[in-house]
Amino acid sequence: MPLSFKTTRCYSDIKNVALARERGKVEPGETPLQAAVRELEEESGVTAPLEHAGSLLFLSEGTEWAFQIEIYRSESYTGVITESDEMRPEWFAITPSTTSDSGDGIVYSPIPFSQMWETDEVWLPLLISKQKFVGRADFTQSGEVVKPYKWWYGTVSN
């Protein structure tokens, strides 16, 4: 059975970042990195020199399995970013200010942490600052509501 994975790719220039999350499958004979490169091209229309940035483990209360998530980043890409049924990339400012002008006349909103898992506010800055990391988040569920209740993240020396 193919290994399931989820990737987050970060394409950045000096002031802005595009975030895209997707699920994919590692096909037989394929590494997670090869799968991420393939899925990126299939689902967004671009190719990029991805580098491994981190690993996350998500556990959910009441389940006997966990999500192992490999995170990749790139600072460049070729092709035209295209929205698909699998992915809707969005660009955000990575500076601490509320907006950022990249010089192309487009003003980007800040990363919407308030609309994300509260754990994302811990590891995403590590991704953006090029610090390799590992982490774990444990989730609990009450009715239809799933939320993290404990987590840890740390940086990894090269």
Side-chain angles (χ1 to χ4, degrees), residues 2-157:
L3 175 66
S4 223
F5 73 97
K6 189 175 197 180
T7 62
T8 295
R9 283 175 303 284
C10 174
Y11 315 101
S12 64
D13 58 30
I14 294 174
K15 297 181 181 175
N16 306 302
V17 62
L19 300 175
R21 289 186 177 189
E22 67 179 63
R23 287 182 187 223
K25 294 207 182 322
V26 177
E27 302 295 338
E30 191 175 51
T31 67
L33 175 59
Q34 290 167 332
V37 168
R38 176 181 51 76
E39 292 280 342
L40 174 64
E41 186 169 8
E42 288 174 3
E43 296 178 8
S44 72
V46 299
T47 58
L50 300 180
E51 62 183 63
H52 190 257
S55 297
L56 301 175
L57 184 65
F58 290 163
L59 294 117
S60 187
E61 189 177 65
T63 62
E64 296 181 10
W65 46 267
F67 287 105
Q68 177 182 341
I69 301 171
E70 299 304 321
I71 310 294
Y72 297 91
R73 73 180 320 275
S74 180
E75 293 197 23
S76 63
Y77 63 89
T78 57
V80 177
I81 297 176
T82 307
E83 185 175 326
S84 70
D85 291 340
E86 299 289 326
M87 184 175 10
R88 190 177 137 242
E90 295 181 65
W91 291 94
F92 299 98
I94 58 173
T95 58
S97 64
T98 57
T99 58
S100 175
D101 185 343
S102 67
D104 58 6
I106 300 171
V107 177
Y108 298 98
S109 300
I111 296 171
F113 286 115
S114 65
Q115 299 172 23
M116 302 164 71
W117 292 112
E118 55 193 292
T119 61
D120 293 347
E121 197 164 3
V122 179
W123 68 264
L124 194 54
L126 297 173
L127 174 71
I128 292 168
S129 66
K130 303 179 189 176
Q131 295 182 57
K132 288 195 175 201
F133 60 92
V134 295
R136 173 180 163 166
D138 294 0
F139 290 79
T140 187
Q141 184 169 355
S142 177
E144 295 294 316
V145 178
V146 176
K147 66 179 193 171
Y149 69 95
K150 65 180 176 179
W151 57 87
W152 64 261
Y153 296 92
T155 58
V156 177
S157 299

